[in-house]
Amino acid sequence: MENCLFCRIIKGEIPSTKVYEDEHVYAFKDINPATPVHVLVVPKVHIDSIEALNDNNIENTTHIHRAIKKVAEITGINKDGYRVIINCGKDGGQTVFHLHYHVLGGTKLTEKII
Ligand code: 5GP
Ligand code: ZN
């Protein structure tokens, strides 16, 4: 999508620090990390949010989950654990409207929302 920040990052128009990439998924470091390891995992095709998932693009979630495991292994957070967060929409606190999974780790996460 033309004016989407993450589509531009995927295309390489905006620089990012790549952690992992495959045919379907791109994973890169968050510019403003909340934890020592904070990686964003995004589908290469533009999907606005979880709300925009449908029968034609839902398979991307499988690719993303597979990539999250790779990211956890690459960054070493697979050993002690990590948290995955998806913000959806205004009340969910989403600011970039290209579906992304936050992978957070490298420290013990003490703030428990649920
Ligand atoms: P959201 O609030 O939509 O769930 O998450 C958006 C995330 O994108 C934020 O954690 C923010 O720090 C990150 N972000 C925003 N702009 C950029 C950028 O230009 N590069 C990178 N690597 N991350 C970004
Ligand atoms: Zn996009």
Side-chain angles (χ1 to χ4, degrees), residues 19-22 27 63-76 78 82:
V19 175
Y20 170 78
E21 181 177 16
D22 63 31
H63 301 311
I64 290 167
H65 280 241
R66 191 181 292 117
I68 287 170
K69 286 195 66 185
K70 303 241 190 208
V71 166
E73 194 185 337
I74 289 163
T75 59
N78 58 333
Y82 51 94

Side-chain angles (χ1 to χ4, degrees), residues 5-6 9 14-17 28-34 38 40 85-88 92-98 100 102:
L5 176 65
F6 288 172
I9 284 177
I14 294 171
S16 65
T17 305
F28 56 104
K29 288 188 181 174
D30 195 292
I31 205 169
N32 183 23
H38 185 172
L40 300 173
I85 293 176
I86 311 163
N87 294 327
C88 182
Q94 186 176 6
T95 60
V96 178
F97 284 81
H98 179 126
H100 53 282
H102 296 261

Side-chain angles (χ1 to χ4, degrees), residues 1 4-8 10 43-47 97-99:
M1 209 193 203
C4 168
L5 176 65
F6 288 172
C7 282
R8 297 190 65 198
I10 292 160
K44 285 190 170 174
V45 294
H46 181 88
I47 300 169
F97 284 81
H98 179 126
L99 177 65

